[in-house]
Amino acid sequence: MAPPPPADLPLAQRIQKLAQTLQFAWFAGHATLLLCVTRYAFSWLRMNYYGRMAQFCYRTTFLSAALTYGIVVYKTWRARQKTGAKPANVVSYLTDENVQYLLLALVWLFMPQYPIAMLPFAIYSVFHVATYTRANLIPTIMPPTKVAPAAGASPSAKPQYTQHPMSDAIGSFVKQYYDSSMSVVANIELVLWLRILLSAIIFQRRSWILLVIYTVFLRTRFAQSSHVQNSFSTFEARIDNLIGAQGTPPAARQAWETAKGLARQFHQATDVNKYINGAAAPKKTS
């Protein structure tokens, strides 16, 4: 993340320089996303899901998400161009988390409404907005204060600065809640898949197309995210506990075991590394 403008500039010029950066557009996109999700939540509570303002906020949420992730993908591409690195192939791009969420945002933008789909993007945006505010916005408006050197300190010693207390508070918030929030995101993404599966079973509009797309997305996230893996493991353990209770019909147990078997077969069949790297090399015994 680029540093804030120099503190010796007037406040208006510092804000102007900050607003002219691509990173600020990224921040504005995340802030807009949070505002839209909040406004949509009020419509949802009033059960006015398809009102004009609700639909506007819903679509703008994913438009903002596509903008923010598109900026990150673009900056990554520009960085590779500047360093002269070998151009990445399609597989490399598709394994990039930012590309995955960019494509998913575009899918949600044009698909029927699933309000729960907004939540993962909103949670990510909370931390992106907080991080940008701490690293760029606060230092631009309220630059760090230089600490007076201690008596007897070397004249060539590097000057020390104190951050605004709000910056420290935001840093503590991010550090304390980031990991647990990523687990919440993983759980929401699993619940969302189950919601789409239910829609496909009752043949809602475009649900089967969405189920295929979201299954591919979630399979990719499973391969890359320990939070998603833990979410699936917890879900399996809970269902095992329910199915193992006394009085559970044998047919239900058989259906659950069949579902688990099919899921494991799907996992093995869609292991991309198996096809790219071939058979694993035998381990050495010495």
Side-chain angles (χ1 to χ4, degrees):
M1 189 174 291
D8 55 352
L9 293 176
L11 176 60
Q13 291 187 23
R14 296 201 302 269
I15 294 176
Q16 183 180 11
K17 282 185 171 293
L18 186 70
Q20 290 174 345
T21 62
L22 194 58
Q23 197 74 22
F24 184 81
W26 173 86
F27 162 76
H30 283 295
T32 302
L33 189 153
L34 289 177
L35 289 174
C36 289
V37 170
T38 302
R39 178 59 184 84
Y40 183 89
F42 287 111
S43 297
W44 186 85
L45 290 173
R46 296 198 303 267
M47 297 185 181
N48 187 23
Y49 320 116
Y50 298 105
R52 182 176 299 178
M53 180 55 70
Q55 292 193 49
F56 172 79
C57 290
Y58 183 87
R59 301 302 172 187
T60 305
T61 293
F62 294 111
L63 185 62
S64 300
L67 170 67
T68 57
Y69 286 100
I71 288 174
V72 175
V73 172
Y74 171 74
K75 291 186 70 174
T76 302
W77 177 79
R78 282 292 303 274
R80 292 181 64 90
Q81 294 293 315
K82 289 180 179 180
T83 58
K86 182 181 178 181
N89 55 34
V90 175
V91 175
S92 297
Y93 277 116
L94 293 179
T95 55
D96 185 338
E97 180 181 280
N98 294 299
V99 174
Q100 294 165 12
Y101 278 100
L102 167 61
L103 297 175
L104 185 64
L106 293 174
V107 169
W108 288 124
L109 181 61
F110 298 105
M111 283 291 179
Q113 289 189 22
Y114 285 79
I116 192 176
M118 305 168 76
L119 296 182
F121 290 96
I123 293 173
Y124 282 127
S125 289
V126 167
F127 289 97
H128 290 318
V129 168
T131 301
Y132 185 88
T133 301
R134 176 177 181 267
N136 293 81
L137 206 57
I138 293 177
T140 297
I141 299 174
M142 295 169 286
T145 306
K146 186 176 181 179
V147 179
S154 172
S156 60
K158 186 178 180 180
Q160 300 294 319
Y161 295 88
T162 56
Q163 299 291 332
H164 192 275
M166 190 179 297
S167 295
D168 295 333
I170 293 174
S172 298
F173 167 81
V174 172
K175 184 177 181 180
Q176 182 175 358
Y177 293 106
Y178 182 80
D179 280 340
S180 59
S181 296
M182 295 305 100
S183 297
V184 171
V185 168
N187 289 330
I188 292 173
E189 290 176 339
L190 175 56
V191 170
L192 179 55
W193 184 86
L194 295 173
R195 170 67 177 84
I196 298 171
L197 176 63
L198 178 61
S199 298
I201 291 173
I202 60 178
F203 292 98
Q204 288 188 350
R205 184 167 61 99
R206 288 188 279 181
S207 57
W208 280 98
I209 297 174
L210 186 55
L211 179 63
V212 172
I213 294 173
Y214 199 77
T215 299
V216 172
F217 166 79
L218 198 58
R219 174 63 181 90
T220 306
R221 298 297 304 132
F222 183 89
Q224 297 176 319
S225 171
S226 59
H227 295 291
V228 176
Q229 294 171 13
N230 292 336
S231 178
F232 272 88
S233 297
T234 302
F235 175 76
E236 180 182 359
R238 288 178 178 176
I239 301 300
D240 282 341
N241 187 49
L242 290 173
I243 294 297
Q246 290 184 353
T248 302
R253 295 181 182 180
Q254 182 61 37
W256 173 238
E257 291 299 326
T258 301
K260 287 198 298 183
L262 291 173
R264 292 191 176 96
Q265 291 177 18
F266 174 77
H267 175 269
Q268 294 173 0
T270 55
D271 186 359
V272 178
N273 292 325
K274 179 174 66 175
Y275 301 105
I276 294 177
N277 301 325
K283 295 182 179 181
K284 295 182 178 180
T285 58
S286 61

